[in-house]
Amino acid sequence: MMAKKSILVVEDEDDIRELLRYNLAKEGYQVTGSASGEEALKAVRVSLPDLVLLDLMLPGMDGLEVCRSLKQDPLTRNLPIVMLTAKGEEADIVSGLELGADDYITKPFSVRVLLARLRAVLRRRSAAPLLETAPITIHELEIHPGRHEVLVQGHSVDLTATEFSLLNLLARRPGWVFTRSQIVNEIHGDDYSVTERAVDVQMVSLRKKLGPCGKYLETVRGIGYRFKD
Ligand code: CA
């Protein structure tokens, strides 16, 4: 039998924290709760959880500061963080993702969706890291980094080096949201320096070239892009 995964819920609103605790426990997780950022930082040092579900709006130390602090400490740097956010907090979501948070869920959330997202983060974390050069097949797309080739439903499509890097980056981590600045940092354009605005332009062209598979490249409004899981 697998050991129960543990989740620390950081949320100052008691009813939401209890709702989360109840549903996560029912799903088989071992759950602890903290009502403030300061309390959460102490709690992870007492017992390191497998994942932190972190509300961004906290009294005192806010969620972004908690995230930054966890990512700066070698002990907790690799701890997966899923942010709980409110509508209209896109700027904070972008900051959190750039600090290293794994995902975010916007309130009000459906418990079913929340559980699926947490499972996905835990699954990605326990999966062996994909070799960047290994070919992958996802939906009706095949990507062969060694040959720099992409097949859509078995037919080869002609991509520029930058478009190829963009697709390879996103498709290797389906479901992950990448901010524009993360994309700029990850892909180095061969022909010219890639800017955040250029990412949008490349994305339009890439979608067009991928034809029926273009729809898997999703725009996440105000945040960035992700490849459909
Ligand atoms: Ca709150």
Side-chain angles (χ1 to χ4, degrees):
M1 202 178 120
M2 295 244 297
K4 277 189 178 182
K5 295 271 185 194
S6 56
I7 298 182
L8 170 64
V9 177
V10 189
E11 167 64 88
D12 57 306
E13 286 157 74
D14 296 340
D15 47 350
I16 299 180
R17 196 176 60 250
E18 284 316 307
L19 171 83
L20 288 166
R21 191 207 286 272
Y22 170 79
N23 283 287
L24 293 170
K26 208 170 91 183
E27 193 68 11
Y29 295 108
Q30 193 186 314
V31 194
T32 48
S34 295
S36 74
E38 291 83 350
E39 208 183 289
L41 290 180
K42 279 186 206 140
V44 295
R45 277 163 187 79
V46 174
S47 164
L48 198 63
D50 292 304
L51 184 146
V52 178
L53 186 54
L54 176 63
D55 185 39
L56 289 191
M57 289 270 271
L58 296 169
M61 187 179 200
D62 72 23
L64 283 180
E65 290 173 67
V66 175
C67 186
R68 188 176 292 114
S69 168
L70 290 174
K71 292 295 168 187
Q72 276 169 353
D73 184 339
L75 179 75
T76 52
R77 184 177 294 153
N78 295 319
L79 186 54
I81 298 173
V82 175
M83 302 178 282
L84 272 177
T85 69
K87 277 217 164 56
E89 290 186 334
E90 282 79 9
D92 287 341
I93 295 171
V94 168
S95 304
L97 291 172
E98 283 167 3
L99 284 170
D102 289 75
D103 204 352
Y104 65 93
I105 289 152
T106 308
K107 291 181 195 170
F109 51 83
S110 114
V111 170
R112 198 172 54 83
V113 170
L114 172 98
L115 292 172
R117 302 281 279 275
L118 296 183
R119 268 198 304 273
V121 168
L122 288 166
R123 191 177 60 230
R124 279 181 220 146
R125 283 305 185 111
S126 56
L130 265 179
L131 254 180
E132 291 298 303
T133 52
I136 51 167
T137 301
I138 181 159
H139 303 303
E140 305 94 62
L141 258 179
E142 282 173 55
I143 304 173
H144 298 269
R147 307 207 299 260
H148 241 259
E149 189 179 40
V150 174
L151 302 177
V152 174
Q153 298 174 342
H155 302 287
S156 179
V157 290
D158 202 19
L159 301 183
T160 66
T162 308
E163 288 162 355
F164 185 89
S165 308
L166 186 54
L167 176 63
N168 195 36
L169 173 71
L170 298 181
R172 260 167 212 284
R173 292 178 148 195
W176 282 76
V177 179
F178 287 86
T179 67
R180 287 177 179 75
S181 122
Q182 284 175 323
I183 292 172
V184 169
N185 288 334
E186 294 286 336
I187 64 171
H188 308 286
D190 298 339
D191 34 5
Y192 61 94
S193 63
V194 179
T195 61
E196 294 192 20
R197 173 75 190 115
V199 170
D200 295 336
V201 176
Q202 298 278 343
M203 195 62 79
V204 171
S205 153
L206 179 58
R207 276 195 189 121
K208 204 175 284 174
K209 288 185 181 179
L210 294 181
C213 289
K215 63 173 184 284
Y216 300 126
L217 290 163
E218 299 180 323
T219 301
V220 187
R221 237 184 136 79
I223 317 282
Y225 294 98
R226 89 175 140 220
F227 196 90
K228 198 172 162 44
D229 208 341

